[in-house]
Every structure is written in C-alpha cells, then in structure tokens.
C-alpha cells in the first residue's frame, strides 16, 4: 500500500509537469490552429536560463525561475513573429516543417552557447523539507511536493485567466471563430502572440521543475518531454485546456506505474499504447469535442 501511494505521488508530480507543458501545446493549437513542435526546446532554454541564473549569476531560485520565464516569453513571441506569423494562411504541412526547423535551430544554438556536454542541474534548487506521513512510512520529497503545488496553481490560475479576463475571453473568441472575432474588433495577431507568450512562460516553469528532479541537462533533452506532453494534450483532447490537464496527470501516473509494476524499459511503450487505445475508442481524446465542418 505504501509503495502504491509513493508511486501515485510521483505520478502526480510528473503528470503536473506534463500538464503544464501540454497546456502550451493545446493553447496554441486551440487558438492559432498550429502545432508548435519547437515547444519542447523552449522548455530546454528555460532550464538552461535558470541554470545560468543559479550558477553564474548566483540568483535565488525564485528569481532564477522568473528570469527563465521572461526569457522564454520573449523567445516565444519572437518565434511566433519570425517563423509562424508569415504562415497564417499556409498549409499545415508548411507549419509543421517550419516548427521542426525552429526546433533544430534552438537545439543547435543551445549547443553553441552551452556546449553538447550535459550539465548537472543544482541538486539543492528546491530546499523545501520532505514531509513524512503514515508514521514515517510515506515520505514526500520537497521537490515532488512543490512540483504538485506549482502545477495545481498554474492550472487554476490559467483557468481563471481564460474564463475571467478580457484577454482570456478574446482567446476563446479567436479559438471559436477567428473571422468573426476579427469582425468584432479583436486583434487576432496580438491574441495569438499573447498565447505564444503564455505557453512559453509555462514551458519555462515546466523546464525548471523537471530538471530540478532529473538534474542532467543538455541541448536535446527537451525533445522527449515535449513529445510526451503533446501525447498528453492529444490524450485529453487537443485544444481543450481541461483535457490537457487531465491528459498530463494521467500520462504521468501511467508512466510511473508502468515503470514500477511492469518494466522500466517498456514504460514509454505502455504510455503510447494507452494513447492508441483511447483514440481508437474516442478519436477526439477524453475531453475533446468533434469539429463540425460547414460545407
């Protein structure tokens, strides 16, 4: 029972990170109708920036995370303006190829700046003490607890932002019907840029939280978390914010339980097998809605 609870907590922690990353994917797809496959590399840049802030600038962890968020926000806006805005009316294949190009560009720039050799993320980045439950049988590490709490705060905050603010309502309008939103006076280009900015800031948070647990950081390590988070977004229903949250949490739990009770080597295969089964039963994902085509 204790092992089950330990794995469940670890799954929630990992799933929270996947959910934060998946939110960036699903927001961009839901509003701009494009898949930003360079999102995983924005995560990597955020982790490197926090590493530089901690090691080279000796900044406190919270300030390091804020700096990473600022840099990734500016990076997200730049990527959208330079790479994706000219492709507003282009085919999905053109956008996909561009996203792959941006991904490789970021990886190679990171390699030029920081080198190809993996660096060790500071092990003392999160100094929150561990919590002992069940008479000391269940120990929740500080890094695990803070990841779950930050993940929950991000999900709640983003839901409130989308539902209550003027910009959030503009995002929902653009997502529903871009042409009608523009006729109603909404600046579509500005709304899409803000979406990229928010998604990239979330990527920075996820990058810091992920590598504060994994410790090893290199230019290509954003690729696999990015793919898994995209899988989480599809699992929950691409374009659905609650779906991205649910998909991320489920993906993290499935991965951790797969490692613990089946095989470490097969944990990724189990994750993608579950995705295939869900999409066979429900092609739009768990919380996705079918799109009505007008002819």
């Amino acid at each position: 029972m204790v092992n089950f609870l330990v794995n469940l907590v670890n799954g929630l922690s990992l799933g929270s990170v996947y959910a934060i990353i998946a939110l960036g994917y699903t927001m961009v797809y839901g509003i701009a109708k494009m898949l930003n496959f360079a999102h995983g590399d924005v995560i990597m840049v955020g982790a490197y920036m926090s590493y530089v802030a901690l090691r080279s600038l000796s900044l406190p962890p919270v300030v390091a995370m804020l700096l990473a968020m600022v840099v990734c926000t500016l990076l997200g806006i730049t990527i959208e303006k330079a790479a994706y805005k000219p492709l507003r009316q282009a085919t999905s294949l053109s956008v996909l190829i561009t996203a792959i190009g941006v991904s490789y560009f970021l990886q190679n720039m990171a390699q030029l700046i920081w080198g190809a050799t993996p660096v060790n993320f500071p092990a003392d980045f999160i100094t929150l003490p561990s919590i002992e439950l069940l008479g000391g049988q269940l120990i929740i590490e500080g890094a695990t607890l803070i990841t779950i709490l930050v993940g929950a705060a991000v999900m709640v905050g983003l839901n409130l932002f989308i539902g209550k603010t003027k910009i959030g309502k503009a995002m929902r309008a653009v997502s529903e019907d871009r042409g009608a939103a523009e006729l109603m006076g909404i600046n579509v280009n500005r709304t899409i840029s803000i979406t990229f900015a928010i998604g990239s800031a979330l990527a920075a948070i996820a990058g810091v939280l992920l590598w504060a647990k994994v410790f090893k950081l290199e230019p290509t390590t954003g690729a696999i978390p990015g793919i898994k988070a995209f899988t989480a977004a599809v699992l929950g229903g691409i374009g659905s914010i609650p779906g991205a949250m649910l998909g991320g949490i489920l993906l993290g739990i499935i991965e951790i339980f797969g490692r613990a009770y089946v095989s470490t080597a097969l944990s990724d295969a189990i994750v993608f097998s579950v995705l295939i089964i869900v999409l066979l039963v429900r092609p739009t994902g768990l919380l996705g809605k079918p799109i009505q085509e007008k002819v």
Side-chain angles (χ1 to χ4, degrees):
M1 182 62 182
V2 173
N3 287 336
F4 176 85
L5 292 175
V6 169
N7 289 322
L8 180 61
V9 171
N10 289 333
L12 289 173
S13 176
L14 182 61
S16 297
V17 175
Y18 287 155
I20 294 173
I21 305 171
L23 285 169
Y25 274 115
T26 207
M27 285 179 65
V28 169
Y29 180 81
I31 294 169
K33 296 296 183 289
M34 62 175 62
L35 295 173
N36 179 23
F37 279 112
H39 195 61
D41 300 289
V42 177
I43 302 167
M44 173 269 297
V45 172
Y48 265 115
M49 286 309 304
S50 61
Y51 172 83
V52 170
L54 289 166
R55 287 299 193 212
S56 302
L57 304 178
S58 300
L59 296 176
V62 174
V63 179
M65 179 178 281
L66 291 175
L67 177 62
M69 291 175 64
V70 171
V71 171
C72 286
T73 297
L74 295 175
L75 178 62
I77 294 173
T78 302
I79 290 172
E80 191 275 328
K81 294 290 187 185
Y84 296 138
K85 186 177 180 181
L87 302 176
R88 284 279 194 271
Q89 307 303 322
T91 63
S92 299
L93 181 60
S94 299
V95 176
L96 176 61
I97 293 172
T98 301
I100 294 172
V102 172
S103 174
Y104 280 112
F105 174 79
L106 292 177
Q107 288 180 20
N108 283 276
M109 285 301 297
Q111 186 170 333
L112 289 173
I113 296 171
W114 292 293
T117 304
V119 297
N120 294 321
F121 206 85
D124 58 349
F125 177 75
I126 297 178
T127 57
L128 195 70
S130 300
I131 294 178
E132 295 185 3
L133 301 173
L134 302 177
Q137 296 183 65
L138 176 60
I139 300 176
I140 303 176
E141 296 181 357
T144 300
L145 181 61
I146 199 69
T147 301
I148 294 174
L149 293 176
V150 171
V154 166
M155 295 174 203
V156 172
L158 186 61
N159 264 322
L160 291 174
F161 176 82
I162 295 295
K164 302 294 184 182
T165 66
K166 185 177 180 179
I167 297 175
K169 292 176 181 177
M171 288 178 176
R172 285 189 291 159
V174 173
S175 175
E176 189 70 28
D177 191 322
R178 185 185 300 182
E182 198 164 12
L183 290 174
M184 295 299 292
I186 295 174
N187 189 328
V188 173
N189 287 329
R190 176 172 172 268
T191 302
I192 292 175
S193 294
I194 292 173
T195 303
F196 269 85
I198 294 173
S200 299
L202 294 179
I205 296 173
V208 174
L209 293 175
L210 185 60
W211 276 286
K213 291 170 65 72
V214 176
F215 301 129
K216 184 178 289 187
L217 176 61
E218 56 186 319
T220 58
T221 47
I224 296 301
I227 291 173
K228 288 183 178 179
F230 174 69
T231 301
V234 174
L235 178 64
I238 189 74
S240 168
I241 288 177
M245 298 176 186
L246 177 61
I249 296 297
L250 288 177
L251 196 78
I253 292 173
I254 292 168
E255 182 174 335
I256 293 298
F257 275 85
R259 290 179 191 171
Y261 297 111
V262 182
S263 168
T264 302
L266 294 176
S267 61
D268 290 347
I270 294 169
V271 166
F272 293 116
S273 296
V274 171
L275 172 67
I276 292 170
I277 293 170
V278 170
L279 292 182
L280 286 174
V281 176
R282 189 174 174 81
T284 57
L286 295 174
L287 300 182
K289 296 179 181 179
I291 298 175
Q292 299 293 333
E293 295 284 349
K294 296 180 180 180
V295 292

